[in-house]
Amino acid sequence: MKTLLLVDGSSYLYRAFHAMPDLRNRQNEPTGAIYGVLNMLRRLHKDYPADYSACVFDAKGKTFRDDIYPEYKAHRPSMPEDLARQIAPLHEAIIAMGWPLLMVDNVEADDVIGALARQATREGMRVVISTGDKDIAQLVNPHVTLVNTMSNEVLDEAGVVNKFGLPAKLIVDYLTLVGDTVDNVPGVEKVGPKTAVKWLTQYGSLDNIVAHADEIGGVVGENLRKALSWLPTARELLTIRCDVGLPEKLTDLAPQPQDKAKLAELFEHFDFKSWLRELRSNSG
C-alpha cells in the first residue's frame, strides 16, 4: 500500500518558533523556527518513508472563513517580526530538501491537507498527517493517522477515542459545542469537554442535541438554546473542507532530488554547521 505523508507546516512553524531558543546566525538573523521545522522534516522522512509527501502552509491573506465570520482569528496578534523573517528562507530550504511545498489561496493549510487526504484515501493509500493541531483529528479514519512529532503522540481511530472520549466522526460536533479559542470561534457558553462528550454520547450527534435542546435543563440547557442560531456557523468554520480544488495531483508529490548546492548555501548562511558537514560528507 502506498503512503502519503502530509506535514502541517503552519502548525509546526509557530510551535518551533515558540519552543526553540532564539538562535541567530552571524548576521544576527533569527533561525530558530527554521532549525526546528527542518529538524522535524528530516526526522519525519526517516520515521515515515512515503511514496508521496508535501509540506503545507497557509497562504497569505484572507480565507473563505473570514467571509463567513469577520471575527475569525481576529484576536490573534500579528505575526512577530522575527518569525515573519524566517518564512521565505524556510520555504527555500524545504524545497531544496526535495519536499513539495503547497499553499493555496482562500483556504487554510488544514483544508489542503483534508482534500489531499480524501483523494489519497479514495485511491487506497495510507495517509500520515504530521500536525500539532487537534482540529485535524476530524480527518482520522481507517486510512488516516495523525502524528505529533513534538509530543510523539500518534492518533489512529482508537487514539482519537482515547484522547477525546469520542470517535473522529464526532470531533466537529464536539469542537462546535466547546468552541475554539485559538481561532476565536465561540461554542456554547459554559460547555466544556466533559459536557460535550456527555451530550454527544447520550444523543449521538450535534443535530440530535439541537433537536432535543428543550429537554436539557439548567444553565447549560439555557445557554444551548441561546446558541442554537449560531451553531451552524460555528460548525461551518470548524469543518475542514475536503472538497477544495487543488493545483497539484498526488502524482506531483513524489519526492524530488535534493538540491545539495542550494542546501549547502542555505546551511552556510544559517550557520547550521553540523548539517553542512553531514551534507558535504554525504556528497563526497
Side-chain angles (χ1 to χ4, degrees):
M1 186 187 283
K2 293 200 163 176
T3 299
L4 169 67
L5 172 62
L6 297 171
V7 177
D8 181 358
S10 292
S11 152
Y12 279 117
L13 178 68
Y14 274 92
R15 281 162 179 263
F17 179 69
H18 292 295
M20 294 295 294
D22 181 20
L23 303 179
R24 293 186 176 261
N25 65 3
R26 278 163 299 190
Q27 288 84 7
N28 201 34
E29 295 165 339
T31 58
I34 297 171
Y35 184 85
V37 175
L38 294 184
N39 197 33
M40 188 265 299
L41 292 178
R42 284 158 58 90
R43 228 181 87 190
L44 271 174
H45 258 333
K46 289 192 184 92
D47 294 350
Y48 296 94
D51 305 276
Y52 305 103
S53 54
C55 197
V56 188
F57 285 87
D58 292 326
K60 273 188 180 159
K62 302 269 187 207
T63 71
F64 71 93
R65 289 184 179 86
D66 298 289
D67 300 335
I68 296 168
Y69 182 53
E71 296 301 301
Y72 183 69
K73 293 189 177 179
H75 66 321
R76 283 195 181 183
S78 55
M79 184 182 282
E81 178 60 27
D82 273 356
L83 177 53
R85 288 171 68 193
Q86 295 182 70
I87 292 176
L90 171 63
H91 287 180
E92 266 189 279
I94 289 170
I95 292 165
M97 279 170 73
W99 281 83
L101 187 138
L102 299 183
M103 290 186 285
V104 179
D105 287 339
N106 197 39
V107 296
E108 292 179 56
D110 294 6
D111 303 305
V112 178
I113 288 169
L116 288 168
R118 177 179 285 182
Q119 206 178 319
T121 299
R122 275 201 208 111
E123 295 182 27
M125 290 187 199
R126 182 173 86 107
V127 182
V128 176
I129 300 172
S130 181
T131 182
D133 183 350
K134 68 180 185 321
D135 301 4
I136 294 187
Q138 64 187 270
L139 298 177
V140 170
N141 63 33
H143 290 265
V144 178
T145 304
L146 307 190
V147 295
N148 182 341
T149 53
M150 290 200 171
S151 62
N152 291 324
E153 180 179 54
V154 176
L155 290 184
D156 55 8
E157 287 184 297
V160 172
V161 174
N162 207 15
K163 183 181 174 83
F164 293 95
L166 294 166
K169 67 176 196 291
L170 288 178
I171 292 299
V172 175
D173 290 4
Y174 166 86
L175 292 170
T176 305
L177 288 167
V178 299
D180 188 333
T181 48
V182 175
D183 291 343
N184 201 34
V185 179
V188 177
E189 204 183 334
K190 300 276 195 294
V191 169
K194 278 187 183 155
T195 305
V197 169
K198 187 179 106 180
W199 286 355
L200 286 164
T201 307
Q202 187 177 344
Y203 293 101
S205 70
L206 180 62
D207 289 339
N208 210 23
I209 291 168
V210 167
H212 293 86
D214 355 341
E215 296 169 16
I216 298 174
V219 176
V220 281
E222 272 173 52
N223 290 342
L224 171 65
R225 289 184 284 280
K226 268 192 273 181
L228 289 179
S229 60
W230 162 250
L231 292 177
T233 305
R235 177 153 54 183
E236 192 177 357
L237 293 169
L238 295 164
T239 299
I240 292 173
R241 289 265 301 269
C242 296
D243 57 353
V244 299
L246 296 173
E248 280 79 9
K249 297 191 289 294
L250 286 176
T251 46
D252 299 332
L253 304 181
Q256 305 301 308
Q258 286 197 340
D259 182 343
K260 290 189 171 169
K262 182 68 183 170
L263 271 184
E265 180 194 312
L266 289 166
F267 289 171
E268 176 97 52
H269 181 79
F270 301 146
D271 284 339
F272 295 165
K273 296 192 177 86
S274 62
W275 290 358
L276 186 59
R277 278 197 300 274
E278 185 188 314
L279 189 68
R280 284 179 174 153
S281 67
N282 289 343
S283 304

